[in-house]
Amino acid sequence: MSTAQADQPRTGRDDTRFFGQPWALTHIFGVEMWERFSFYGMQGILLIYMYYSVTDGGLGMDRGIATGIVGAYGGTVYLSSILGAWAADRLLGSERVLFYSAWVIMAGHIALALLPSVWGLGIGLVLVSIGSGGLKANATAVVGTLYAAGDIRRDAGFSLFYLGINLGAFLGPLITGLLQDSIGFHWGFGAAAVGMALGLLQYSIGRRQLPESSRIVANPLPANRRPLVLGIAVLVVIALAALVLTGVIRADNLAGVVILVTLGAAISYFVVIISSRELNRDERSRVIGFIPLFVVNVGFWSLYQQQFTVLTIYSDERLNRTIFGWEMPVSWVNSINPIFVIILSGVFAAIWSKLGNRAPSAPAKFSLGAIIMGAAFLLFLPWANGAPNSSPLIAIVVILLVFTVAELFISPPGLSVTTKLAPERFHTQMVALYFLSVALGTAIAGWLAQFYDPSNEVPYFLILGAIAIGMGVVLLLVSRPVLALMKGVR
């Protein structure tokens, strides 16, 4: 082989340079890792920043309102993935939207770090939610372009991609929490901005090595329709501003508004895609087969995302965080789950790769994920209604281990099966539809938190755990009809 031939970049199934995966995965792995560092680092201190008193460096908000805002913000992150998916499919392509979104995210963290009071909070959260929505759907879509149809490495590749997410999610709360605890909240938000800047630097260097298919605009918007779209966007912004200024949308009902908007968007998306004349019979059937997975995914995330609402309050008030006389920051609890994901994601990737076509189907994985998630909530019951600082740290560690097992059954396979079920002309928008289920679950998590009563926890954990287990069992019972609708996709 000549030197020139040796220097040629390998492509397709022959490229196994990144733990058996295409080398281009490292670039998406990196930007997503640093984006998650900034995202979870900021979110780890966000709730306590809102409800801590002004003398403690917070904003002094009512705790119930603060949890609703966290849920609404988290839901809006995933809801805005619609905009990112649409921009990719109609204007710029996934790779470019990913790149520009990273800049918006960094600007949002800078606003949180530098702008004071509620203004900084509002501007920062709006920018981060829009940017993160654009990045999330398109990072996943770009990963999908690295694999040919039928490449059995796809699930393992998504598991490694998920490892990058959780490396960032592990490090973020540790750094921001330590800074918040020692020198103030705004230093923690500043660290999140630095993390995103590092991700942008790495991605800017490596983005040219991504396949050209990642830049394809699947369904270009005609030039004569762009002024109309711009006009609609301006009207939407004006309408939202008017609703806020007139008090229709308020801090105390924000989670409910996001739930209704997300539910409406999801239903509309399903109707638009399923009714499209550009779909053949098999493609339409696969989208219909995705509906039960969507519903169960909503239930899963409505429990899982309470790590940033109920579990934060629980860690602040109920959890004994003292280790050898030192009290660890509240946000460090948010780094426990990523540790287990880092450890176990490789194990799950190896298992799925080893099993190949003999691995459990997507409906079976979703069922098990929901059942295990429900069981995790039931594990809170032995320590329910306890005194302040009465729950041992090891209990939360075990519970979050169960959270992680549930997550690995449902989240990486969920991303993967979505790209498999997606019709060609709605590829990125189907990924956005998956994230709508996460948006709905996240907003519901914030809304549910208002019913959490530390003095009477048994009904809360018991009812939600039982509902999740019930959803998983129902999906398991109907898995065969769902697989039939999926037309050969497992």
Side-chain angles (χ1 to χ4, degrees):
M1 182 184 295
S2 68
T3 303
Q5 287 175 318
D7 289 339
Q8 291 291 323
R10 293 194 291 274
T11 59
R13 298 188 186 186
D14 293 333
D15 186 356
T16 58
R17 290 172 289 169
F18 183 54
F19 298 101
Q21 304 296 322
W23 180 253
L25 181 62
T26 59
H27 308 310
I28 318 166
F29 178 100
V31 71
E32 185 74 357
M33 181 190 73
W34 284 111
E35 189 272 334
R36 292 291 88 181
F37 171 95
S38 66
F39 180 88
Y40 284 108
M42 180 271 285
Q43 191 151 304
I45 60 176
L46 177 61
L47 179 60
I48 57 175
Y49 172 61
M50 286 191 282
Y51 77 71
Y52 271 22
S53 67
V54 175
T55 55
D56 290 330
L59 298 177
M61 289 186 177
D62 174 81
R63 195 167 65 188
I65 293 176
T67 58
I69 292 173
V70 170
Y73 154 72
T76 304
V77 167
Y78 296 98
L79 180 61
S80 63
S81 65
I82 294 176
L83 298 176
W86 184 88
D89 282 352
R90 305 304 304 272
L91 295 175
L92 298 170
S94 292
E95 191 279 324
R96 293 184 183 90
V97 174
L98 189 161
F99 180 63
Y100 298 140
S101 295
W103 283 97
V104 176
I105 294 168
M106 186 173 67
H109 290 303
I110 291 172
L112 281 164
L114 299 181
L115 299 181
S117 190
V118 176
W119 283 104
L121 177 72
I123 294 171
L125 292 185
V126 167
L127 290 174
V128 173
S129 63
I130 292 173
S132 293
L135 190 145
K136 284 197 70 65
N138 287 290
T140 305
V142 172
V143 171
T145 66
L146 304 181
Y147 300 94
D151 191 334
I152 62 172
R153 298 178 302 164
R154 181 183 291 259
D155 278 10
F158 272 99
S159 291
L160 282 173
F161 173 64
Y162 212 65
L163 172 61
I165 290 174
N166 283 280
L167 279 171
F170 164 67
L171 294 171
L174 293 181
I175 301 300
T176 60
L178 187 62
L179 290 171
Q180 170 267 316
D181 197 51
S182 56
I183 53 178
F185 282 100
H186 292 283
W187 288 92
F189 295 136
V194 171
M196 194 65 250
L198 292 172
L200 261 171
L201 177 63
Q202 177 187 354
Y203 187 71
S204 298
I205 294 171
R207 60 190 291 239
R208 293 181 181 179
Q209 299 177 30
L210 295 171
E212 194 58 36
S213 57
S214 67
R215 301 177 183 88
I216 292 175
V217 182
N219 186 20
L221 183 70
N224 60 359
R225 292 183 57 189
R226 293 185 181 184
L228 174 63
V229 171
L230 179 61
I232 292 173
V234 171
L235 288 175
V236 168
V237 172
I238 293 173
L240 286 173
L243 290 171
V244 171
L245 292 173
T246 57
V248 176
I249 297 177
R250 306 180 306 277
D252 62 340
N253 70 357
L254 193 57
V257 170
V258 174
I259 289 170
L260 291 175
V261 171
T262 308
L263 183 61
I267 293 171
S268 300
Y269 245 98
F270 272 116
V271 170
V272 167
I273 295 176
I274 291 171
S275 62
S276 173
R277 294 181 179 180
E278 298 174 351
L279 268 61
N280 60 41
R281 182 177 298 179
D282 284 355
E283 288 176 324
R284 184 170 289 106
S285 179
R286 288 179 184 131
V287 177
I288 294 171
F290 181 66
I291 294 175
L293 306 183
F294 180 96
V295 173
V296 171
N297 211 39
V298 171
F300 169 82
W301 288 102
S302 68
L303 270 64
Y304 180 86
Q305 292 290 66
Q306 291 189 45
Q307 289 184 77
F308 306 106
T309 53
V310 168
L311 186 57
T312 297
I313 298 170
Y314 191 94
S315 301
D316 188 27
E317 296 187 359
R318 180 64 49 77
L319 184 63
N320 183 356
R321 294 180 281 111
T322 302
I323 304 172
F324 301 115
W326 171 76
E327 187 175 65
M328 76 177 193
V330 174
S331 68
W332 280 28
V333 174
N334 293 134
S335 290
I336 296 174
N337 167 254
I339 292 173
F340 288 128
V341 176
I342 292 167
I343 295 170
L344 295 178
S345 59
V347 175
F348 273 71
I351 291 171
W352 302 146
S353 295
K354 181 71 173 179
L355 291 176
N357 291 330
R358 295 179 290 112
S361 65
K365 290 175 182 175
F366 272 62
S367 300
L368 292 170
I371 291 169
I372 296 168
M373 190 67 237
F377 259 53
L378 299 183
L379 290 176
F380 280 99
L381 294 177
W383 293 276
N385 304 338
N389 303 319
S390 62
S391 294
L393 184 59
I394 188 63
I396 292 300
V397 171
V398 171
I399 290 170
L400 288 175
L401 171 60
V402 181
F403 268 54
T404 303
V405 174
E407 178 186 5
L408 290 172
F409 265 104
I410 206 169
S411 191
L415 293 170
S416 179
V417 77
T418 302
T419 63
K420 295 175 186 176
L421 293 171
E424 184 176 351
R425 293 186 68 86
F426 291 94
H427 185 268
T428 305
Q429 293 178 73
M430 271 288 286
V431 174
L433 189 53
Y434 169 82
F435 283 121
L436 276 180
S437 68
V438 184
L440 188 54
T442 302
I444 291 172
W447 177 77
L448 286 171
Q450 67 181 306
F451 302 107
Y452 171 67
D453 180 3
S455 66
N456 187 26
E457 296 172 315
V458 172
Y460 189 85
F461 291 125
L462 181 61
I463 292 171
L464 292 183
I467 290 173
I469 291 171
M471 292 180 71
V473 170
V474 169
L475 180 59
L476 195 60
L477 292 174
V478 300
S479 59
R480 286 190 178 181
V482 172
L483 276 171
L485 288 169
M486 290 165 63
K487 298 296 181 184
V489 173
R490 286 180 49 84

